[in-house]
Amino acid sequence: MSVINLLNQLPISWRENLQQQLTDEKSSSAKAEQLNTLIESITAFRAGGDVNIYPAAEDVFAAFKLCSLHQVKVVILGQDPYHGPGQANGLSFSVADGVRVPPSLNNIFKEQATDLHINNGASGNLTHWAKQGVLLLNSVLTVEAHKAGSHQGLGWELLTDAVITALSQQSQAIVFMLWGKAAQHKARLIQSNKHCILTAPHPSPLSAYRGFFGCQHFSQANAYLQQQARAPIDWQLP
């Protein structure tokens, strides 16, 4: 599979912009080569059957399918997908209905309870947010089972850098929630004079108490969207 074939899996609003960035003659040939190597490696892993890769192939680009480029109001940037069986569904921090809510997402719900006085937690399925314009993006889109961070540095970051750059170039204001160092590294790609950048420690139990709790990102995001004459997000899950 080539970079072009990979991009063809994306909805057209994303495909056209990212294809221009990643296949332009001005782009580094090394960048395209690294992406091609990434795609070939993951395809081989899945075909071999000896290594489980999450999420399932059909879910890798779920975030883009639920939220078109021009609909994005908020970006919640994670690190890489959940690495446990049945957890990753292609949306950062989200799990399917019936799957136990992971600790990081549970902490997100705790912060929302304090910030917005809403009660989420019965389900960890965040599709309701995505359909309103919340791009639930991971910096790395796949992971090996039981090995957190195993696909970092393989090439996904080139694609997600292009995604953040494309969003930064949009005329409508967007809120970027960057939690943890990996997410905050992408701040360099965002035009801060056009968009709202909110940073905090990662909601993981290892770091949430260092400033994620009390960050009030959800109320700040909605206040900013309303200032920009954009509809706020209904963070209450159905």
Side-chain angles (χ1 to χ4, degrees):
M1 183 188 292
S2 67
V3 172
I4 296 296
N5 288 336
L6 177 142
L7 293 173
N8 283 340
Q9 298 181 54
L10 298 172
I12 191 167
S13 69
W14 291 102
R15 185 192 318 152
E16 292 178 344
N17 192 293
L18 299 180
Q19 183 169 322
Q20 183 178 359
Q21 289 194 56
L22 294 171
T23 63
D24 192 287
E25 291 181 0
K26 296 180 181 179
S27 297
S28 167
S29 60
K31 181 186 294 187
E33 184 177 346
Q34 186 175 0
L35 278 171
N36 283 330
T37 300
L38 163 73
I39 296 160
E40 291 170 1
S41 297
I42 292 175
T43 301
F45 285 148
R46 291 193 191 277
D50 296 328
V51 175
N52 289 323
I53 304 296
Y54 302 132
E58 62 270 21
D59 291 332
V60 170
F61 299 116
F64 303 99
K65 295 174 183 177
L66 288 171
C67 187
S68 75
L69 174 63
H70 306 296
Q71 290 176 328
V72 176
K73 298 177 182 177
V74 176
V75 179
I76 296 181
L77 188 60
Q79 296 180 7
D80 56 358
Y82 294 124
H83 55 84
Q87 291 183 308
N89 66 359
L91 306 178
S92 63
F93 297 105
S94 176
V95 292
D97 290 324
V99 176
R100 183 178 180 180
V101 175
S104 292
L105 181 54
N106 189 51
N107 284 340
I108 291 170
F109 289 159
K110 287 180 179 179
E111 173 58 21
Q112 289 182 327
T114 302
D115 185 21
L116 302 176
H117 307 291
I118 61 175
N119 182 23
N120 284 325
S123 171
N125 187 338
L126 307 183
T127 300
H128 177 64
W129 297 355
K131 288 182 177 180
Q132 296 177 75
V134 180
L135 182 66
L136 296 162
L137 179 68
N138 281 310
S139 295
V140 174
L141 302 187
T142 57
V143 70
E144 184 178 336
H146 309 299
K147 293 185 179 180
S150 51
H151 287 181
Q152 290 180 5
L154 295 184
W156 281 124
E157 293 90 345
L158 298 174
L159 177 64
T160 54
D161 277 1
V163 170
I164 298 298
T165 299
L167 291 168
S168 180
Q169 293 170 349
Q170 296 302 296
S171 57
Q172 293 195 93
I174 296 171
V175 179
F176 291 85
M177 297 184 185
L178 308 181
W179 299 336
K181 292 181 179 179
Q184 290 164 20
H185 183 64
K186 301 245 191 230
R188 74 195 191 284
L189 305 172
I190 304 167
Q191 300 177 51
S192 58
N193 61 324
K194 290 175 56 178
H195 306 288
C196 176
I197 302 175
L198 302 176
T199 63
H202 193 276
S204 161
L206 297 175
S207 56
Y209 287 94
R210 299 174 188 165
F212 178 78
F213 290 135
C215 69
Q216 299 183 322
H217 280 188
F218 303 99
S219 59
Q220 288 186 63
N222 277 354
Y224 179 80
L225 290 172
Q226 290 175 307
Q227 290 170 8
Q228 302 297 321
R230 305 197 76 182
I233 304 299
D234 173 18
W235 297 106
Q236 177 68 66
L237 295 174

